[in-house]
Amino acid sequence: MSLFAEFHVPSDVFALYRTLQAAPETTVEIERVVAAEEILTPYFWVSGGDLARFETAIEDDPTVENLQQLDEFDRATLYRANWTENVETIVYAYTQVGATILEATGAGDRWELQMRFDDRDRLDQFQTYCNDETIPFQLIQLHELTQPRTGRQYGLTRKQHDALVTAWQLNYFTSTDVSLTDVAAELGISQQSLSQRLHRGYQSLIEETLIVSPPAEEGT
């Protein structure tokens, strides 16, 4: 049975600690992590603060390398990088047990992580790994995949759930008078962040519903 867990961890046990210390007004939101040939490549949005200060700080950060700027908007900039082997804490702990990072937001001295574990044993392995390596973490919420199914149990993070529900409540999906900017303003986030949350939310809903339960054959 899948488990969805929300953790708070100090930034020095995850990634970009030096960068977040040098640019404390900056917020980093990881969009997804791609693994290829044992190299972990995060794609992340950066918002707030001085972007030049952030880029200068990240050059001296031992936890990432090969930084590339992919897209730049008014309120957020999308980057790609490689996590280095110096990140032998939470980053590699979750790969050891096959967990999935659904969402990760870092600012100042803290990261907020939302992760999915296939079962209780994998969560226990993760906690044991963290305890053995003296990695501090604070478990905030834990949800199981039980009936009736809720948004989180469909693979949605809290922020994705809030984005989809707010968009629905404002009639974004049915009215041409409501724009993405309107929904973003209601949530107090940038249009780019909202777009990414909706995109990831759609993907999770499709994977957990349409793919799991294919349509019946025509005529049945």
Side-chain angles (χ1 to χ4, degrees):
M1 183 175 292
S2 295
L3 296 169
F4 300 88
E6 180 177 340
F7 298 91
H8 289 175
V9 299
S11 55
D12 61 347
V13 301
F14 189 62
L16 298 178
Y17 172 68
R18 292 187 183 178
T19 301
L20 293 176
Q21 290 296 300
E25 71 284 358
T26 297
T27 298
V28 177
E29 184 176 355
I30 294 178
E31 175 180 319
R32 66 183 186 276
V33 179
V34 178
E37 298 180 355
E38 298 184 356
I39 297 176
L40 297 177
T41 302
Y43 290 71
F44 53 92
W45 292 93
V46 176
S47 60
D50 188 327
L51 193 61
R53 178 185 297 179
F54 172 84
E55 292 184 345
T56 298
I58 206 170
E59 289 179 358
D60 297 324
D61 197 310
T63 63
V64 294
E65 59 186 8
N66 300 327
L67 180 72
Q68 296 182 35
Q69 184 183 114
L70 301 180
D71 288 299
E72 185 174 6
F73 301 92
D74 291 340
R75 297 185 180 180
T77 302
L78 180 64
Y79 291 92
R80 177 180 67 195
N82 293 336
W83 272 325
T84 68
E85 292 186 359
N86 290 318
V87 190
E88 296 177 347
T89 52
I90 292 290
V91 172
Y92 283 87
Y94 88 90
T95 62
Q96 296 295 316
V97 299
T100 300
I101 292 182
L102 300 174
E103 194 169 290
T105 302
D109 59 359
R110 188 175 77 176
W111 278 90
E112 298 178 2
L113 307 175
Q114 294 186 18
M115 299 171 63
R116 178 169 60 195
F117 299 85
D118 289 345
D119 51 43
R120 175 73 63 172
D121 287 343
R122 292 183 185 272
L123 173 61
D124 291 342
Q125 291 172 28
F126 174 81
Q127 293 177 312
T128 298
Y129 183 98
C130 290
N131 290 333
D132 290 345
E133 299 297 326
T134 319
I135 299 172
F137 67 89
Q138 181 181 6
L139 179 62
I140 306 300
Q141 295 186 61
L142 183 64
H143 301 267
E144 289 187 343
L145 181 58
T146 57
Q147 296 294 336
R149 292 172 71 101
T150 65
R152 187 177 296 270
Q153 293 163 349
Y154 279 117
L156 297 176
T157 67
R158 180 188 60 203
K159 292 180 180 178
Q160 292 165 12
H161 174 272
D162 291 347
L164 287 166
V165 170
T166 300
W168 177 80
Q169 290 173 335
L170 295 179
N171 296 320
Y172 169 73
F173 302 112
T174 58
S175 174
T176 57
D177 295 330
V178 180
S179 68
L180 201 64
T181 301
D182 295 328
V183 181
E186 180 70 18
L187 289 166
I189 61 177
S190 69
Q191 181 178 330
Q192 290 75 31
S193 293
L194 173 61
S195 178
Q196 292 301 318
R197 291 178 191 179
L198 290 176
H199 176 78
R200 295 196 296 270
Y202 300 150
Q203 181 176 346
S204 294
L205 286 174
I206 291 171
E207 289 177 347
E208 297 291 335
T209 56
L210 300 181
I211 303 303
V212 173
S213 302
E217 293 184 4
E218 190 173 338
T220 61

